[in-house]
Amino acid sequence: MGFLIAPLWHDGRPKGCPTPGMALVPTPTHRQPIVAVFGSSTVREPDAAWRDAHVLGGELARRGVATMTGGYGGAMAAASRGAHEAGGHVIGVTVDLFARRGAVNPCVRDRVHTPDSFEPLRHLVHSADGFVAAAGSIGTLTEVFLVWTMVSVEGREPAPIVLMGPQWHEWLAVHRGPAFVPERLHAFVEVADTPALAAQAVVDGIARARGAGVAAAARQPTPA
């Protein structure tokens, strides 16, 4: 266990970005909200999935949130570039196992490097304020199921989980039912068909989750 991390947020705004977005969700002044983006590492610029991830990164930045990915290529690089181009902050969570994939994508401004393949999942799951999953394969599905499980069993604070793209409707339908994922657990995820809708859904979800947390804290009895 253990990882190296550069300083993140100090005043709620991206460091070194010329046109940071205006924060649209309540947030402590020391840290901007972070959205973890999951997606395939194999998609390339001509692919629709790459373009969607790129647009998503820009949409997140313009809504005032930082983008956190696995830090390498494919959808991770696309979302990172989109966020960076829109003046947003980009965090990459990397691991020794995937060093052979090449250098960290150049839009990463804060890198969290971990020695084993479980620590990146731990960091992504527990550090992000919300999650968006783009199209992907078994790695993306692993991340989705892990986050879904941790949120549903209250293994971390409440957080929105948004599945981006119409293909997720069919995927959820296949997994719906008593033999797979019970109906009550589907309340923890939502599908957004476009990058703009996904960005807005996750930002709205972060605002709701933070509001619920503040309300819950206010209901705690005052020590005598």
Side-chain angles (χ1 to χ4, degrees):
M1 197 164 147
F3 48 82
L4 302 175
I5 181 169
L8 293 178
W9 297 94
H10 56 89
D11 61 359
R13 297 181 63 183
K15 297 179 292 184
C17 293
T19 54
M22 181 182 298
L24 299 180
V25 296
T27 179
T29 56
H30 69 283
R31 184 174 74 77
Q32 194 174 39
I34 297 171
V35 171
V37 176
F38 306 139
S40 172
S41 64
T42 61
V43 297
R44 298 294 178 259
E45 281 196 49
D47 299 331
W50 193 100
R51 295 194 300 270
D52 283 348
H54 179 260
V55 173
L56 172 67
E59 294 285 353
L60 292 172
R62 284 186 285 274
R63 286 166 173 78
V65 299
T67 296
M68 181 163 64
T69 76
Y72 293 105
M76 295 175 283
S80 298
R81 186 193 297 183
H84 177 71
E85 290 172 348
H89 191 68
V90 180
I91 305 161
V93 184
T94 59
V95 61
D96 286 346
L97 177 65
F98 294 146
R100 64 181 182 275
R101 292 184 175 182
V104 175
N105 80 69
C107 293
V108 168
R109 288 295 170 266
D110 279 315
R111 181 183 182 186
V112 181
H113 188 69
T114 65
D116 66 70
S117 56
F118 294 103
E119 202 58 44
L121 292 172
R122 186 193 308 275
H123 190 81
L124 286 163
V125 167
H126 290 287
S127 298
D129 300 289
F131 305 89
V132 178
S137 185
I138 56 175
T140 300
L141 296 179
T142 298
E143 292 162 332
V144 168
F145 275 123
L146 179 58
V147 169
W148 194 351
T149 299
M150 294 303 292
V151 171
S152 68
V153 301
E154 299 182 354
R156 56 148 293 150
E157 293 181 354
I161 304 169
V162 180
L163 309 178
M164 184 181 74
Q167 73 279 0
W168 290 103
H169 291 289
E170 181 179 358
W171 185 83
L172 284 175
V174 169
H175 290 82
R176 193 183 302 271
F180 291 101
V181 181
E183 187 66 33
R184 62 181 178 82
L185 295 180
H186 284 256
F188 293 98
V189 298
E190 62 180 299
V191 177
D193 287 347
T194 69
L197 291 174
Q200 192 59 52
V202 76
V203 166
D204 289 345
I206 291 170
R208 287 193 302 271
R210 290 188 171 192
V214 170
R219 289 194 297 269
Q220 293 298 316
T222 303

